[in-house]
Amino acid sequence: PPGSKALAPPARRRGVAGAPWRTAALFALTAAQAALGRDPELERVIFVQCNEAAQQVYREAAEQLGIDG
């Protein structure tokens, strides 16, 4: 929403529209990077996963995209 400083999309058990976790993670992280680049008021995007396996997929996708954090 306009004026927000942080965004926390909901975690899903499956990827976007049933896509594999890795594909969904790459899509979500790329969209988050774009949002951060477009909106100077947005300071961070927080991803919270439902389990450690999903978290690891996001960590690996972030590393692949060169995202720290």
Side-chain angles (χ1 to χ4, degrees):
S4 297
K5 292 188 179 238
L7 175 65
R12 302 272 184 210
R13 289 194 61 155
R14 299 178 69 199
V16 176
W21 270 114
R22 184 163 188 73
T23 300
L26 289 167
F27 177 83
L29 290 167
T30 299
Q33 280 186 303
L36 287 164
R38 269 193 319 271
D39 186 348
E41 292 185 25
L42 186 60
E43 296 174 358
R44 63 186 171 156
V45 178
I46 303 164
F47 289 95
V48 180
Q49 301 310 317
C50 59
N51 59 44
E52 185 58 36
Q55 185 64 33
Q56 185 60 35
V57 169
Y58 268 75
R59 283 187 195 115
E60 291 170 3
E63 184 177 318
Q64 179 181 336
L65 294 171
I67 299 172
D68 291 327

